[in-house]
């Protein structure tokens, strides 16, 4: 295995071959792209052809939906890009558990950011068909996250299982509604 100073980032053009990453589902990127395309097509077809939610769209004015949708999209993009920067910024000799920063609030900030972007688009379109597609997107990201967590457990064992018990998968503890 090459030493850290001998590793060159240009020799790892994609993240699949990096020795310092625990791994992801082999077809995860392709599935994410397919689900994105299906989601966008579902929203477009609903708006342009099926008009399933035109009544609700007309009652909830665009000036209400626009700031909500753009806020969700902006925050989701920030969360995903910041998470990507944390994970992929430094090339390390071996996989490490990242538990600081965003990863101290949720275990999958990149996927959460992506889902918030979808939710932002959905709040703009208010598409029933897009909403159904969004449910499948959430199922996909949950499945991908579980797969990655199993890989992390294989590598880090009990340490990662403790992390699972300490840090929520999707909703930060400070945002959870507690029963008093």
């Amino acid at each position: 295995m090459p030493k850290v100073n001998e590793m060159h980032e240009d020799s790892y053009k994609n993240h699949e071959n990096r020795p310092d990453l625990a791994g992801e589902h082999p077809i995860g990127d392709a599935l994410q792209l397919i689900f994105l395309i299906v989601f966008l097509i579902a929203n477009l077809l609903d708006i342009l052809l099926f008009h399933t939610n035109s009544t609700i769209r007309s009652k909830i004015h665009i000036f209400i939906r626009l700031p909500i949708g753009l806020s969700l999209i902006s925050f989701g993009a920030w969360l995903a890009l910041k998470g990507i920067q944390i994970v992929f910024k430094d090339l390390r000799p071996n996989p490490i558990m990242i538990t600081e920063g965003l990863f101290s609030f949720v275990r999958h900030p990149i996927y959460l950011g992506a889902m918030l972007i979808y939710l932002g688009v959905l709040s703009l379109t208010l598409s029933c068909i897009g909403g159904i597609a969004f449910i499948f997107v959430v199922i996909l990201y949950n499945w991908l996250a579980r797969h990655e967590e199993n890989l992390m457990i294989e590598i880090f064992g009990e340490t990662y299982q403790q992390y699972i018990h300490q840090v929520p998968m999707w909703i930060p503890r400070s945002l959870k509604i507690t029963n008093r």
Side-chain angles (χ1 to χ4, degrees), residues 38-58 60 65 118-135:
V38 168
F39 175 80
L40 293 174
I41 290 172
N43 276 279
L44 284 173
L45 286 176
D46 197 5
I47 291 168
L48 300 174
L49 188 61
F50 299 121
H51 309 288
T52 61
N53 248 5
S54 57
T55 306
I56 293 175
R57 269 194 295 274
S58 67
I60 302 175
R65 293 182 282 140
Y118 281 96
L119 192 59
V121 170
L122 194 58
S123 70
L124 292 172
T125 63
L126 294 178
S127 164
C128 285
I129 299 171
I132 293 167
F134 177 69
I135 291 169

Side-chain angles (χ1 to χ4, degrees), residues 1-57:
M1 166 141 338
K3 295 182 180 167
V4 178
N5 58 359
E6 294 175 3
M7 291 188 204
H8 299 289
E9 287 197 35
D10 56 339
S11 64
Y12 298 105
K13 300 265 189 249
N14 59 45
H15 58 274
E16 286 97 13
N17 297 324
R18 282 185 49 176
D20 60 328
L21 301 177
E24 60 186 17
H25 197 280
I27 60 169
D29 290 340
L31 287 174
Q32 289 178 71
L33 180 61
I34 290 167
F35 276 58
L36 171 64
I37 293 168
V38 168
F39 175 80
L40 293 174
I41 290 172
N43 276 279
L44 284 173
L45 286 176
D46 197 5
I47 291 168
L48 300 174
L49 188 61
F50 299 121
H51 309 288
T52 61
N53 248 5
S54 57
T55 306
I56 293 175
R57 269 194 295 274

